[in-house]
């Protein structure tokens, strides 16, 4: 069976790319396809040949890849995948559009619906390009939404990373999706039950990540906070932070793992569709203080692996931090929870059965349940 692995674009290194990296390792003989490839700024594929689209030939395309939104669908449709029996796409936007030959199967690991189309204000508001050209961009996006809906019907099976994303796929695309929580690379993370006196944020510095409310909470508390990661919001956020808050910028994977293991807690204030950071923190034996909505409802146990706050306000976060300070955390139990539920072995055991059934034409049970506490925001259509 000939397998093709397809990803939206390999120009950065985020959660979606880390999952794609795991898929590449799981299918070492599969051919890799993407629209754009920047080997210096994305996952390490070694000597693997990466097939790209015609967009790769546009000067500056890997740097300004977001500006090419109208061109990705025709670029993916132009890929020649006629020789492949199984297509596995890793998709937040465009890769689901690839064509397959008659009789082939397409399994889509959908990290989300196309957020810049269906939740434009939230997703793009911090980018200068959007603010400058929003009237024109919004009109273009209205046209692209129909195309997105049409190509969303291509995959034979959707696998969502969380119940939140599964519901969005159903609501927006009208397609049922299985929920299989994505794994972390547990071998990368180190465990420590000797915590140091600091809290950690590990995130791209984007508006929807709500780093601003974390800074305001820690300004008031005066506790040490380290912020790793970079992004367009950095200058604004630095101007708000007091001396107890340090911005580290980009850190290496090794340093990031050390910080995860030594932090008293890892803070997540965004509504995350899924979120690997809380699981990575748990794998390091570190509790999570998180906004209690979205993906963390699938991965965290309040009082055991973390603490939730119910409103995205500095006051609610402060209360959660004070609550977490009083809990006698069992750091070994926190790590055991992550390793029991969110490792590659657990993930691929489930995924392997799903793919085998899909390829052989057996029915796949698409039923999934949503936690009663989950409140999934409906994106505008």
């Amino acid at each position: 069976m000939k397998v093709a692995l397809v990803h939206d674009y390999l120009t950065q290194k985020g959660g979606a790319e880390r999952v794609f990296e795991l898929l590449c390792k799981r299918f070492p003989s599969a051919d890799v396809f993407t629209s754009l490839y920047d080997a210096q700024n994305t996952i390490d594929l070694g000597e693997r040949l990466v097939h790209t689209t015609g967009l790769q030939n546009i000067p500056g395309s890997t740097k300004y890849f977001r500006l090419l939104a109208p061109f990705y669908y025709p670029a993916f449709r132009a890929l020649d995948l006629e020789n492949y029996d199984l297509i596995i796409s890793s998709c937040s936007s465009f890769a689901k559009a690839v064509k397959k030959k008659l009789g082939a199967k397409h399994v889509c690991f959908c990290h989300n619906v196309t957020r810049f189309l269906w939740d434009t204000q939230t997703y793009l508001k911090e980018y200068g390009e959007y603010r400058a050209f929003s009237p024109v961009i919004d009109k273009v996006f209205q046209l692209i939404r129909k195309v997105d809906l049409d190509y969303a019907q291509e995959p034979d099976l959707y696998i969502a990373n969380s119940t939140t994303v599964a519901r969005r796929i159903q609501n927006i695309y009208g397609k049922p999706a299985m929920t299989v929580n994505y794994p972390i690379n547990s071998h990368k993370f180190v465990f420590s039950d000797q915590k140091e006196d600091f809290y950690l944020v590990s995130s791209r510095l984007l508006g929807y990540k709500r780093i601003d409310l974390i800074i305001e909470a820690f300004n008031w508390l005066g506790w040490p906070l380290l912020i790793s990661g970079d992004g367009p919001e950095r200058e604004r956020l630095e101007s708000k932070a007091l001396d107890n808050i340090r911005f580290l910028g980009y850190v290496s994977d090794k340093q990031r793992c050390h910080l995860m293991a030594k932090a008293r807690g890892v803070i997540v204030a965004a509504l995350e569709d899924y979120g690997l950071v809380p699981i990575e923190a748990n794998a390091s034996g570190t509790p999570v203080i998180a906004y209690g909505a979205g993906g963390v409802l699938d991965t965290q146990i309040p009082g055991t692996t973390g603490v939730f706050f119910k409103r995205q306000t500095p006051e609610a976060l402060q209360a959660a931090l004070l609550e977490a300070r009083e809990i006698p955390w069992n750091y070994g139990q926190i790590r055991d929870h992550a390793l029991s539920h969110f490792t590659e072995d657990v993930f691929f055991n489930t995924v392997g059965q799903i793919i085998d059934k899909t390829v052989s034409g057996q029915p796949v049970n698409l039923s999934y349940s949503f936690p009663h506490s989950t409140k999934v925001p409906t994106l505008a259509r």
Side-chain angles (χ1 to χ4, degrees):
M1 179 174 65
K2 199 166 183 183
V3 180
L5 299 176
V6 189
H7 188 69
D8 289 326
Y9 30 66
L10 292 172
T11 56
Q12 55 189 353
K13 190 174 183 179
E17 286 72 33
R18 292 179 191 219
V19 172
F20 189 66
E21 186 176 22
L22 294 177
L23 290 170
C24 289
K25 290 178 180 177
R26 183 69 176 187
F27 297 93
S29 299
D31 291 335
V32 176
F33 293 84
T34 190
S35 59
L36 298 166
Y37 180 47
D38 182 354
Q40 301 303 313
N41 290 303
T42 191
I43 55 177
D44 182 8
L45 293 174
E47 299 300 316
R48 199 102 170 234
L49 176 63
V50 178
H51 302 273
T52 58
T53 68
L55 299 179
Q56 186 79 25
N57 300 321
I58 300 175
S61 58
T62 58
K63 182 177 180 181
Y64 301 104
F65 60 94
R66 291 183 180 88
L67 299 180
L68 299 175
F71 307 106
Y72 283 108
Y73 288 120
F76 274 105
R77 296 298 285 178
L79 287 174
D80 183 6
L81 302 182
E82 280 292 314
N83 292 328
Y84 297 93
D85 306 296
L86 173 64
I87 298 169
I88 300 175
S89 62
S90 164
C91 179
S92 299
S93 303
F94 311 105
K96 61 182 178 285
V98 292
K99 290 190 294 186
K100 65 184 184 200
K101 70 178 181 181
L102 186 65
K105 299 294 183 182
H106 179 177
V107 176
C108 178
F109 286 81
C110 187
H111 314 298
N112 210 329
V113 299
T114 309
R115 288 293 296 275
F116 74 86
L117 292 177
W118 302 104
D119 196 14
T120 304
Q121 289 292 329
T122 300
Y123 192 81
L124 294 182
K125 66 181 180 182
E126 59 272 304
Y127 292 106
E129 298 96 333
Y130 174 68
R131 291 195 298 269
F133 301 104
S134 59
V136 174
I137 291 173
D138 289 343
K139 289 182 179 178
V140 172
F141 283 4
Q142 288 177 18
L143 298 174
I144 301 177
R145 285 189 190 112
K146 184 180 185 304
V147 178
D148 188 57
L149 285 174
D150 288 342
Y151 289 142
Q153 310 309 308
E154 291 286 342
D156 297 285
L157 176 69
Y158 276 98
I159 296 177
N161 54 13
S162 70
T163 52
T164 297
V165 171
R167 181 170 285 176
R168 284 179 181 162
I169 293 168
Q170 179 69 65
N171 288 345
I172 300 296
Y173 294 152
K175 299 280 285 188
M178 292 197 70
T179 299
V180 182
N181 296 140
Y182 290 178
I184 59 168
N185 186 343
S186 56
H187 303 295
K188 285 186 176 181
F189 296 92
V190 294
F191 170 75
S192 176
D193 58 5
Q194 302 299 311
K195 304 302 182 183
E196 298 179 6
D197 188 25
F198 71 89
Y199 290 82
L200 177 68
V201 170
S202 178
S203 171
R204 288 178 293 167
L205 303 186
L206 303 173
Y208 82 94
K209 295 290 187 178
R210 298 310 312 272
I211 312 297
D212 55 342
L213 77 85
I214 300 176
I215 289 173
E216 190 171 341
F218 275 83
N219 281 344
W220 182 83
L221 290 167
W223 298 351
L225 175 69
L226 301 181
I227 299 176
S228 72
D230 216 334
E233 289 280 283
R234 179 169 178 172
E235 183 177 349
R236 184 182 75 85
L237 293 170
E238 284 184 320
S239 71
K240 293 177 176 290
L242 298 182
D243 292 342
N244 59 303
I245 300 172
R246 287 177 53 205
F247 288 77
L248 304 178
Y250 170 80
V251 299
S252 67
D253 282 349
K254 183 177 181 180
Q255 185 181 359
R256 182 171 174 269
C257 291
H258 173 78
L259 292 170
M260 285 273 191
K262 290 297 185 179
R264 294 190 68 157
V266 170
I267 318 298
V268 177
L271 170 59
E272 296 287 3
D273 308 311
Y274 179 49
L276 292 174
V277 167
I279 308 170
E280 292 170 342
N282 289 167
S284 309
T286 301
V288 174
I289 297 89
Y291 174 49
V296 293
L297 297 177
D298 287 3
T299 65
Q300 299 299 305
I301 304 173
T304 300
T305 67
V307 171
F308 291 154
F309 54 99
K310 296 184 182 298
R311 291 173 291 115
Q312 286 177 304
T313 65
E315 295 77 14
L317 173 55
Q318 290 164 14
L321 285 162
L322 291 168
E323 178 186 347
R325 200 89 162 187
E326 299 301 316
I327 295 175
W329 297 105
N330 183 330
Y331 301 122
Q333 185 178 10
I334 292 173
R335 177 172 172 80
D336 289 345
H337 171 73
L339 298 186
S340 297
H341 296 87
F342 305 107
T343 63
E344 296 173 41
D345 287 344
V346 172
F347 175 74
F348 282 115
N349 181 55
T350 302
V351 165
Q353 295 178 47
I354 294 169
I355 290 177
D356 287 345
K357 285 187 176 182
T358 302
V359 170
S360 64
Q362 298 179 51
V364 177
N365 182 6
L366 293 176
S367 63
Y368 48 83
S369 60
F370 303 104
H372 295 301
S373 59
T374 300
K375 293 184 178 179
V376 182
T378 301
L379 304 184
R381 296 197 63 171

